[in-house]
Structure formats: structure tokens, C-alpha cells
Amino acid sequence: MDIVTLLPQFGGLIWTLLAFIVALSVIVAIHEYGHYIVGRWSGIDADVFSLGFGPVLFSRVDKRGTRWQFALLPLGGYVKFKGDANPSGGTDEEAIQGLTAAERRRTMSGAPLWARSATVAAGPVFNFVLSIIVFTAIFMARGVTSEPLTVGEIYDLPSQQELQAGDEIIAIAGEPLPPFEDAGFDEYLDSLPVQETLEYTIIRDGTEMVVQGPYVHVPLATQVLPLSAASEAGLEPGDVILGIDGRDIVDFGELRQAVEGSEGAPVDLSVWRDGDTLDLTLEPRRVDEPQPGGAFRTVYRIGIAGGLFFDPATETPSPVDAFTAGVGQTGEIIRGSLSGLWHMLTGAISTCNLSGPIGIAETSGAMASQGTQSFIWFIAVLSTAVGLLNLFPVPVLDGGHLCFHAYEALRGRPPSDRALKVLMSIGVTLVLGLMVFALTNDIFCP
């Protein structure tokens, strides 16, 4: 094989790895900094703060005696507190022998229970805080849809239309338009006649008029999901699907119904892009989609999102509204993750929904290729997932340590060293087993 043909693949691999390392490093740094700073506030000294494992590439010691370092393998990080036997914890009995009571208080093992618990919990909490801050900032940047619904940027479409940016829409096909945020807005759009051209009653420069425009939900790809059938087939955001399997379509819903009815068989698409018509063939993939109430529904999808044929004009929300939306988005990710895990454990959905490091790395690269905002959004989603995972009551994870602390609070003494060693061995086995299982999914799942 010619080396020139390998260059694009090699470049794509480097981009994927770089995006994955950046995303993981940000999340790990925030997580470990949470442990470090809350430990410091609680009176516990840290010996080492490390990003990465293995040979140290760069380090410096601050005035508090903490060594800050970057290591060769950027696949995690750790904080080693004073008196710890290793980065995973455990007491170094030799190191704490001969320490005064005040000096022992500044070790992890010698600190009061509340200080140790707060320090352990801070890692996941900081991951959630990072997610909330990022989501809040993105909601502020994106804005909320203006009322009344106002035309923003109009997508390039094959059909002619008379709408302009800045037009305020007050009715479609003679039916008054409800508020965009109204619960019945989608039902209103679904009730409109399915035809290529509709009448839009608008206000333009203070004057009410009626103009012609395309059907509201044209089969337009407003977004192409990473690693989807559409992405691999070459569909791009802004593409308009004119037909499927030789049948012309007007409504995005017609495309959805045809894909769902394919049962995974290949479908032929006629696609309009920048004035040219392309023929693409792709295979819809089975997807387990969450439903209201926590259930899942198995459907076939090609991996594109639809919407209106224009981007609605927006206005900046208040910081309180954006923050509330950021908290809600983080909570929804947690709820969806727990629901998905439960349904996988009970066999209701496929375990292929669990991605491993390869899948996460591929998604990192794909999201980075879609733009900075998409990549930052992905980091926030992954940060929430990492925070949640670390709270699971598994020894070696933060949640496991919090369980030990809860036992100590109830019994007045920590678990015995022997019990801790057995439980930690079980925890390591479980975590490694999960990693191997997820990696197997990356390799063998479709």
C-alpha cells in the first residue's frame, strides 16, 4: 500500500488521540483538583498532584511542599496525600510513625472523618460543577428562541421561498402560531398540511403580509451524529433528502418512518447539496432510545437530526435561567445514564450501548471535528459520566471509599486492614472486568 494513502488515516488517528487526550486531561485535572483543594481546605497536605502516570516529564514543588507534575502516560492522574502508601490510598505506617498529633492531623489517615469524606467526595462533585458551568455558558452563548418566532439564518434549500431573516411568523397555512416554548408547538406543526409550499403570515418591518415558504419540517439534516451510518456514508449538515428508495419525500417524518420500517436493510437516498444531487446508500442501525418515564424503545436510525428549515432568532437568557438549564442538563445525563445501566443489567437493551476507551476516543475526535462548541459540550457530558461512575459503591472508586467512611461513622471504627485489602482486590477486579468488557464492545459491537 502506498504511504500516501495512509496519511489521511494516520492524520485522523492522531486527531482522534489528541482530542481524547485533551478531553480526558481536562476532566481528570478537574476531578483531582477537587480532591486536592478540598483536602487542603480541610487541613490535609498533598505530597504529589500528577497528571498522567509513569515517568515524570516535568515537575515543580510549590511553597506548601506539593509536587505538581506531568507524567508520560496521559491516561489519568492522581493526588497522593501526606501519609498515603500510594496514589490509591492506604496508610504508610512507616511514614506516620514519630509524627506529632498536629502533624498526623495533616495526613489523610489522621484527619477527622468529615475531612476525609469531604476530600473524597470533592472529585465527583467538581466533575458535576464543571458540567454545570460549561452547559450554563453554552446556553448563554446559544441563547433562547425569541418570541414571537422570528426567522434567523435560513438554510439553503432546493425550493424557492420568500421568507427573510428578521420576519416574525404569526401564522402558517392560516393557523395562528402558538408560542415556541408552548407544550403544543410540535403538535401544531404536525397538524399543518404536508405539501411543498405553505403560506406564512409574517410581520416584516412593521407590516403584516403573506409570503410563500417551504414545508416546515423539510427532510433537512441540521446535524449529523458522529460515528453514525449517515456520517460514514458522507451525509453533511445542511443536506436535504429529496427521496428514499426512489420515492420523493417532503416531510422529515416520512424519512423517519421509512428508516424505521427498513429493519436495518440498506436504503437509497437522493440528496440535494449546494445545487447538486447525490445518490447515497447506507444501512440504518439499531438504537435503544430512552423514552419518557425511563423506558427504552428499540428503533432504527441513520444518525441525523432534523428541525425547522431556518434557525430561529435568539436572545440571551438571564444567568439564572441559563444556570437552571445547566443544572437540568447535568441531571438529565445522570438520570439517563442510570436508567441505561439498569436496562442493560436487566437485559432490556443491548450491552453494546456501553462504550469503552476506543469508542470514547472516536467520539472525542468526531465531536472535535464538528467544532469547538460541540467538543466542549462533549467534555461536559463526559465529565458528568466520570463523576457518576466514581460515585458507584465499588472499592477503589470514590464511592467505595465513601462507603468505608459511612461504615466508620456507624461503627465508630474503620474496616479492618484485612477486610480493606480483600474489598480493594474485589474492586480492582470489577473495574478491570468492566474495562475489558467495554473494550470488547468497542471491537465487536456493530
Side-chain angles (χ1 to χ4, degrees):
M1 181 179 288
D2 194 317
I3 186 65
V4 174
T5 64
L6 290 176
L7 288 179
Q9 300 177 38
F10 181 72
L13 176 61
I14 293 298
W15 176 254
T16 296
L17 289 176
L18 180 60
F20 177 58
I21 290 172
V22 170
L24 185 63
S25 296
V26 169
I27 292 168
V28 168
I30 292 296
H31 181 95
E32 297 302 333
Y33 186 76
H35 288 315
Y36 163 79
I37 193 63
V38 173
R40 200 181 88 186
W41 292 340
S42 302
I44 304 173
D45 292 337
D47 289 336
V48 180
F49 185 109
S50 179
L51 283 181
F53 300 100
V56 176
L57 301 177
F58 168 80
S59 70
R60 74 174 184 87
V61 178
D62 66 17
K63 62 182 180 181
R64 294 183 177 86
T66 301
R67 179 176 297 278
W68 298 76
Q69 64 184 38
F70 289 94
L72 180 62
L73 302 176
L75 300 177
Y78 62 87
V79 177
K80 181 179 178 296
F81 288 102
K82 186 178 181 65
D84 285 350
N86 53 63
S88 298
T91 303
D92 186 346
E93 297 295 343
E94 293 184 5
I96 65 174
Q97 284 181 358
L99 295 180
T100 65
E103 291 171 334
R104 284 182 61 88
R105 168 59 181 84
R106 304 200 69 80
T107 67
M108 177 63 89
S109 59
L113 181 59
W114 70 264
R116 286 179 278 137
S117 299
T119 300
V120 170
V125 169
F126 269 53
N127 281 132
F128 298 144
V129 170
L130 170 65
S131 299
I132 292 171
I133 291 174
V134 169
F135 289 139
T136 299
I138 290 178
F139 288 137
M140 289 287 290
R142 287 181 177 176
V144 295
T145 302
S146 301
E147 293 288 359
L149 181 63
T150 303
V151 178
E153 181 180 357
I154 302 176
Y155 288 96
D156 192 15
L157 301 175
S159 60
Q160 297 294 321
Q161 53 86 26
E162 301 170 355
L163 286 163
Q164 299 178 7
D167 290 345
E168 297 179 2
I169 301 176
I170 59 176
I172 303 176
E175 294 295 328
L177 192 74
F180 185 80
E181 298 297 334
D182 192 286
F185 186 81
D186 289 338
E187 287 77 5
Y188 166 84
L189 295 182
D190 291 338
S191 70
L192 296 174
V194 180
Q195 55 193 48
E196 289 189 13
T197 304
L198 295 174
E199 288 187 344
Y200 289 78
T201 304
I202 64 169
I203 296 178
R204 179 184 297 169
D205 298 327
T207 303
E208 182 175 319
M209 63 181 67
V210 176
V211 298
Q212 299 295 312
Y215 181 70
V216 180
H217 277 157
V218 294
L220 166 73
T222 58
Q223 181 183 6
V224 178
L225 303 183
L227 310 180
S228 64
S231 175
E232 294 181 2
L235 273 172
E236 299 177 0
D239 286 350
V240 180
I241 292 82
L242 301 177
I244 181 168
D245 291 334
R247 178 171 60 89
D248 293 341
I249 58 175
V250 175
D251 179 14
F252 192 91
E254 296 177 280
L255 174 64
R256 182 187 299 110
Q257 292 175 4
V259 170
E260 289 181 355
S262 71
E263 296 294 326
V267 295
D268 296 321
L269 302 182
S270 176
V271 179
W272 185 90
R273 180 189 299 165
D274 298 329
D276 296 324
T277 301
L278 311 174
D279 294 322
L280 300 176
T281 300
L282 43 76
E283 295 185 12
R285 295 176 182 173
R286 173 176 168 169
V287 177
D288 295 310
E289 290 185 346
Q291 303 297 307
F296 280 78
R297 183 169 72 102
T298 299
V299 293
Y300 286 88
R301 295 284 185 255
I302 59 175
I304 65 173
L308 303 178
F309 64 90
F310 62 89
D311 287 330
T314 61
E315 54 190 17
T316 303
S318 70
V320 172
D321 289 341
F323 176 76
T324 301
V327 173
Q329 182 66 46
T330 302
E332 184 60 26
I333 294 171
I334 293 173
R335 186 205 63 79
S337 298
L338 292 175
S339 176
L341 179 61
W342 171 252
H343 282 80
M344 279 189 281
L345 290 174
T346 58
I349 63 175
S350 171
T351 55
C352 284
N353 287 282
L354 180 66
S355 295
I358 296 177
I360 295 173
E362 290 177 337
T363 305
S364 299
M367 296 300 286
S369 66
Q370 291 189 2
T372 303
Q373 189 175 107
S374 295
F375 183 54
I376 293 175
W377 181 277
F378 172 72
I379 290 176
V381 172
L382 191 58
S383 181
T384 301
V386 169
L388 178 62
L389 176 64
N390 271 277
L391 285 178
F392 286 176
V394 177
V396 311
L397 297 180
D398 295 329
H401 288 288
L402 290 174
C403 287
F404 297 153
H405 293 163
Y407 175 90
E408 182 178 348
L410 293 173
R411 297 298 300 272
R413 65 178 185 275
S416 66
D417 289 342
R418 181 178 179 182
L420 285 175
K421 288 180 180 179
V422 172
L423 290 171
M424 294 294 279
S425 297
I426 294 174
V428 169
T429 301
L430 289 173
V431 171
L432 290 177
L434 178 64
M435 292 177 62
V436 171
F437 180 76
L439 183 61
T440 302
N441 278 356
D442 290 340
I443 297 173
F444 295 107
C445 282

